[in-house]
Amino acid sequence: MAQPLSYLKESASQTAGPYVHIGLAPGAAGFDIYRTQLGEEIVGPDAPGERIRIEGVVLDGTGAPVKDVLLEVWQADAAGIYPHPEDPRFADCAPGFRGWGRVITDFETGLWAFDTVKPGPVMGRNGRMMAPHVSFWLVARGINIGLNTRMYFEDEDNSADPVLNLVEQAPRRETLLARKVGPGLYRFDIRLQGDGETVFLDI
Amino acid sequence: MKPAEFYQRDRFLQPPALTPDYKTSVPRSPRLAMLSLQGSMSEITGPTFGHSDIDTIDNDLIRNYAKTGDPVGERIIVHGRVLDENGRGIPNTLVEIWQANAGGRYRHKKDTYLAPIDPNFGGCGRTLTDDQGYYYFRTVKPGAYPWRNWVNNWRPAHIHVSVFGTSFSQRLITQMYFEGDPLIRQCPIVNTIPDPRAIDHLIAPLDMNAAIPLDCLAYKFDIVLRGRRSTLFENRLEGN
């Protein structure tokens, strides 16, 4: 018999359920308990870059907005630097830039929105640059394991992006593009299922 | 870039998106194949947290929302380690929990279950692991409650757990169940997980060694996040 491999197995995911707000954004659940709610400020007041707002809805397979979803976003600063020690340019990250946000939808409409700065391009694998993008992770009742996706900007040059170009069916790349709908305002709708289903990522 | 990538997620152990016995997954599950990515800077980095983000009382659910006295219910400690698949503790990472009160009701404007709200129980807590990956919470044991799936489904007592790790690709939300609960094997949400061993890993054993005499019981719950190859060294090109 071969020797056993002693690696552990990742804990299995379970749905965040309908009351995820209690744990991760109790203010949205209707009560204040902590001194700070985490993830409300992504960039801080002093970070340089173009200030933008991104908004959208998450739609289910019937086309209805999902009103209990919680989204987290993760992005580089305007110079393409992540505020994380494993980014080689970490020391030059914009002061006060957190890069991480936690976004709650409106319980009545399902609309979410967050304010940030437009990220810069980031170095990808093998020295290939990735177009500016924001990473998304979303959880909700009925979603058994958090869904990862990316949002790109329609007004950037995305033609050489190595991740977008991995999407075999070219029309599906459109599902990862945010539309510019106003000055500094982008719209990014995520479709869980059906026509125009968003490309989700197994990262 | 440093090749400090994460092991591939084991999708045979994780619940699939479409699990018809858990009805809400039917309209909320993607049907097309996911796009598999090798990790890039966007995945191997992730948010970091420090003690300035949270308060020391945040992990004590018996006290962090108490208004007129202690919450009702069986007092418990929930403790354990956050580990990676290599068995290494993950230090200084954020663990957040939320749960129903002892009657099985959540403090949420959308929860209308018959059980009363406990005026002294908020139902959420958060903490950072120590330098060995240890965490602990003090709380009350949550109650089971009915939910609309099949006509007579009940959720076993459970605590929701959210963990970050060191990268965006390690992000995990799961649920902790309690040893000995007969509702666990009947639960359509538990049973979204195909592998019975993976379910067993979510069931915390009673830990009498950590219980405090004449005060509270304890349950031990270790959480495993994805492992990664270690940083590449020039004299050790294979990584680990």
Side-chain angles (χ1 to χ4, degrees), chain A residues 74-76 82 119-120 122 130-135 150-153, chain B residues 42:
Chain A
W74 174 242
Q75 65 165 86
Y82 281 106
V122 175
M130 298 189 285
H133 63 274
V134 177
S135 295
R150 278 187 185 193
M151 189 207 85
Y152 289 85
F153 299 87
Chain B
S42 301

Side-chain angles (χ1 to χ4, degrees), chain B residues 152-166:
Chain B
N152 193 17
N153 278 143
W154 290 69
R155 292 302 325 277
H158 63 279
I159 296 177
H160 297 266
V161 183
S162 167
V163 197
F164 276 83
T166 59

Side-chain angles (χ1 to χ4, degrees), chain A residues 6-24 26-38 59-62 65-70 72-74 82-88 98 100 102 107-108 122-126 130 133 135-137 139-150 163-164 166-168 172 176 192-194 197-203, chain B residues 1-2 4-5 7 9-11 13-17 19 22 24-55 58 64-65 83-87 94 96-98 106-111 122-126 155 160 162 164 166 168-169 171-175 177 189-190 192-193 198 201-202 222-226 228:
Chain A
S6 59
Y7 297 110
L8 303 177
K9 290 285 193 183
E10 183 188 18
S11 297
S13 172
Q14 292 270 263
T15 177
Y19 306 129
V20 59
H21 318 93
I22 293 174
L24 307 188
F31 67 108
D32 284 319
I33 184 165
Y34 298 140
R35 174 173 49 87
T36 57
Q37 290 226 43
L38 297 174
L59 300 165
D60 71 13
T62 72
V66 179
K67 297 171 183 174
D68 54 5
V69 69
L70 178 136
E72 288 182 358
V73 296
W74 174 242
Y82 281 106
H84 188 275
E86 289 189 63
D87 188 315
R98 184 142 219 181
W100 173 73
R102 189 173 260 175
F107 288 159
E108 304 304 322
V122 175
M123 182 69 76
R125 294 175 65 89
N126 306 316
M130 298 189 285
H133 63 274
S135 295
F136 277 68
W137 180 80
V139 291
R141 182 171 68 105
I143 294 176
N144 289 325
I145 180 167
L147 296 170
N148 287 283
T149 188
R150 278 187 185 193
V163 171
L164 280 175
L166 276 180
V167 181
E168 197 177 328
R172 294 201 70 208
L176 301 182
L192 296 177
Q193 193 188 98
E197 180 180 310
T198 299
V199 174
F200 293 101
L201 306 176
D202 180 14
I203 56 174
Chain B
M1 189 204 304
K2 290 187 283 188
E5 291 166 36
Y7 303 151
R9 189 158 246 164
D10 186 345
R11 295 281 176 182
L13 171 162
Q14 294 290 352
T19 47
Y22 173 30
T24 318
S25 77
V26 175
R28 293 185 170 190
S29 46
R31 297 296 161 84
L32 300 173
M34 286 188 289
L35 180 69
S36 295
L37 283 193
Q38 291 169 284
S40 75
M41 190 68 74
S42 301
E43 287 80 38
I44 68 168
T45 59
T48 54
F49 301 93
H51 289 282
S52 60
D53 288 318
I54 63 174
D55 292 319
D58 287 353
N64 69 9
Y65 198 77
L83 304 161
D84 69 13
E85 288 170 285
N86 302 310
L94 184 66
E96 296 161 288
I97 65 169
W98 69 101
Y106 288 95
R107 182 175 290 279
H108 191 288
K109 53 182 109 176
K110 297 275 186 184
D111 190 351
C124 61
R126 58 188 184 183
R155 292 302 325 277
H160 297 266
S162 167
F164 276 83
T166 59
F168 202 64
S169 66
R171 192 78 180 83
L172 183 74
I173 284 181
T174 187
Q175 299 181 28
Y177 303 96
I189 287 178
V190 172
T192 61
I193 300 169
H201 185 75
L202 300 185
D222 287 341
I223 303 156
V224 181
L225 302 182
R226 295 168 68 182
R228 72 189 307 184

Side-chain angles (χ1 to χ4, degrees), chain B:
Chain B
M1 189 204 304
K2 290 187 283 188
E5 291 166 36
F6 287 81
Y7 303 151
Q8 171 187 306
R9 189 158 246 164
D10 186 345
R11 295 281 176 182
F12 294 100
L13 171 162
Q14 294 290 352
L18 177 60
T19 47
D21 286 345
Y22 173 30
K23 289 183 185 177
T24 318
S25 77
V26 175
R28 293 185 170 190
S29 46
R31 297 296 161 84
L32 300 173
M34 286 188 289
L35 180 69
S36 295
L37 283 193
Q38 291 169 284
S40 75
M41 190 68 74
S42 301
E43 287 80 38
I44 68 168
T45 59
T48 54
F49 301 93
H51 289 282
S52 60
D53 288 318
I54 63 174
D55 292 319
T56 51
I57 197 178
D58 287 353
N59 70 339
D60 188 351
L61 286 70
I62 289 180
R63 284 172 56 216
N64 69 9
Y65 198 77
K67 307 291 185 199
T68 59
D70 285 346
V72 172
E74 188 178 320
R75 298 157 65 88
I76 60 171
I77 286 168
V78 173
H79 74 123
R81 292 181 79 194
V82 179
L83 304 161
D84 69 13
E85 288 170 285
N86 302 310
R88 292 186 279 232
I90 301 179
N92 205 43
T93 198
L94 184 66
V95 181
E96 296 161 288
I97 65 169
W98 69 101
Q99 63 170 91
N101 66 27
R105 174 127 175 221
Y106 288 95
R107 182 175 290 279
H108 191 288
K109 53 182 109 176
K110 297 275 186 184
D111 190 351
T112 56
Y113 179 43
L114 302 169
I117 291 281
D118 184 335
N120 293 309
F121 191 67
C124 61
R126 58 188 184 183
T127 192
L128 294 170
T129 59
D130 73 6
D131 55 7
Q132 304 294 314
Y134 278 101
Y135 73 91
Y136 82 94
F137 291 96
R138 199 167 72 134
T139 184
V140 296
K141 190 173 180 185
Y145 58 85
W147 59 299
R148 286 186 195 280
N149 186 62
W150 306 115
V151 172
N152 193 17
N153 278 143
W154 290 69
R155 292 302 325 277
H158 63 279
I159 296 177
H160 297 266
V161 183
S162 167
V163 197
F164 276 83
T166 59
S167 92
F168 202 64
S169 66
Q170 277 177 311
R171 192 78 180 83
L172 183 74
I173 284 181
T174 187
Q175 299 181 28
M176 182 201 110
Y177 303 96
F178 293 85
E179 179 183 13
D181 187 338
L183 294 170
I184 294 171
R185 300 293 167 181
Q186 297 186 19
C187 176
I189 287 178
V190 172
N191 289 325
T192 61
I193 300 169
D195 186 334
R197 291 167 300 178
I199 293 174
D200 289 343
H201 185 75
L202 300 185
I203 303 172
L206 180 68
D207 182 358
M208 288 306 286
N209 285 359
I212 300 176
L214 306 178
D215 184 338
C216 63
L217 288 171
Y219 289 86
K220 179 92 160 51
F221 187 61
D222 287 341
I223 303 156
V224 181
L225 302 182
R226 295 168 68 182
R228 72 189 307 184
R229 298 197 286 279
S230 59
T231 305
L232 186 84
F233 294 102
E234 286 184 359
N235 62 350
R236 195 143 52 88
L237 290 171
E238 74 283 7
N240 276 325

